[in-house]
Amino acid sequence: TNLGWFAIAIAGSALTYLAAAENLAAFVPKRLSVVRGFLVQLSTAFVGLALPVTVGHVTVNARYLSRQNVDAGSITAAIAISQIINVVTTVLLMIAFGLLTGSGISRFRLVPGANVIIGLAAIAFLAAVLLLVPQSRSRLAHAVWPRLRSVWPHVFDAVSQPLRLVLGILANLVLTLGYLVAFITSLRALGAHPPILAGAIVYLAGNAIGSAAPTPGGLGAVEAVLSAGLTAIGVPAHEAIPGVLVFRTATFWLPIPAGWIAYVSLTRSGTL
């Protein structure tokens, strides 16, 4: 591995934690410390060992904001909006990069597979059953609806301020840029030079799969999707697979010990 390219990959990985902190802070009605926010996001790398990636981020961020005396409604709204912007930004970037590479929207599989449809149908059936049973409907009405009703004003307050939305979107774009830098430079560290836009599509697809995978950090799923995607765009397997492993070293494995140090420090100081 070329250590110069690997160092840039690590810098790109570090940038993602700073951007994630700013993405969250953009929708919180309170000024938050940039340094503390960076350390909180870094600690999610350690917490993510025991939880799927999205669950770990939500849990740590909710606890952090709670310790900063942010009310429950604002916490829920801030985390929800930041996650929604992340999803929307990823989808739009995939479509934009696909059009720029000449592949067009028709090359994307926008129709979900059978397993996804079956899963959604099962969730819809369960929700219908719960709503039809008087006891469960009553509990949902008394336990869930008041919470949702208290969150909506905070959501509307956040999205009604254009500056917040712009800052959140910019932070999310910087986060994606950091991962793309880490991904491309990790491949270059092994001598692979894929087209940047095609490589970006491969990363975004792997990121989407990793966010949905039930394993910590999308472990296994991300590596498989990224390796398959790289070979599909012409990168030889003997460069694609080691390149993906270098990328995961910079963005998943190395942040774990740093995240553990941040988590212990923040816990002792009462931040988490």
Side-chain angles (χ1 to χ4, degrees):
T1 302
N2 184 299
L3 296 182
W5 285 117
F6 185 56
I8 298 176
I10 295 175
S13 176
L15 179 63
T16 64
Y17 295 102
L18 179 62
E22 290 303 305
N23 182 36
L24 179 67
F27 303 106
V28 176
K30 182 178 181 179
R31 186 173 181 83
L32 301 175
S33 168
V34 176
V35 175
R36 189 181 296 116
F38 171 81
L39 293 176
V40 168
Q41 300 307 315
L42 183 60
S43 68
T44 62
F46 169 69
V47 177
L49 284 176
L51 298 168
V53 57
T54 303
V55 177
H57 278 280
V58 170
T59 302
V60 173
N61 286 330
R63 184 174 178 84
Y64 165 57
L65 294 179
S66 178
R67 290 296 181 94
Q68 297 301 307
N69 297 319
V70 179
D71 62 278
S74 297
I75 292 174
T76 304
I79 293 175
I81 296 172
S82 64
Q83 293 294 320
I84 291 172
I85 287 181
N86 185 18
V87 172
V88 172
T89 303
T90 299
V91 172
L92 292 179
L93 285 176
M94 287 184 66
I95 295 176
F97 289 156
L99 294 174
L100 289 174
T101 56
S103 59
I105 298 177
S106 61
R107 296 287 297 276
F108 292 96
R109 295 184 58 186
L110 299 178
V111 179
N115 291 335
V116 176
I117 294 176
I118 292 173
L120 292 176
I123 294 173
F125 175 76
L126 179 60
V129 171
L130 291 175
L131 291 175
L132 289 174
V133 177
Q135 292 82 354
S136 61
R137 185 171 65 245
S138 176
R139 289 186 178 182
L140 288 173
H142 289 86
V144 178
W145 177 244
R147 293 179 180 273
L148 291 177
R149 188 168 53 186
S150 66
V151 169
W152 281 118
H154 297 282
V155 173
F156 287 128
D157 179 62
V159 299
S160 63
Q161 301 184 40
L163 182 59
R164 285 193 183 187
L165 282 176
V166 170
L167 290 176
I169 292 172
L170 289 177
N172 204 277
L173 290 174
V174 172
L175 185 149
T176 303
L177 175 64
Y179 276 120
L180 287 177
V181 168
F183 185 56
I184 298 299
T185 54
S186 295
L187 293 170
R188 296 206 170 190
L190 272 297
H193 294 79
I196 293 179
L197 290 180
I201 295 176
V202 170
Y203 160 72
L204 291 172
N207 177 58
I209 297 296
S211 298
T215 56
L219 194 61
V222 172
E223 289 82 356
V225 172
L226 293 181
S227 298
L230 288 172
T231 54
I233 64 174
V235 179
H238 68 272
E239 294 179 347
I241 296 175
V244 169
L245 295 179
V246 170
F247 168 69
R248 292 291 276 170
T249 299
T251 59
F252 178 72
W253 294 108
L254 285 182
I256 290 174
W260 173 73
I261 295 173
Y263 180 79
V264 172
S265 175
L266 293 173
T267 303
R268 290 178 177 175
S269 65
T271 304
L272 287 179

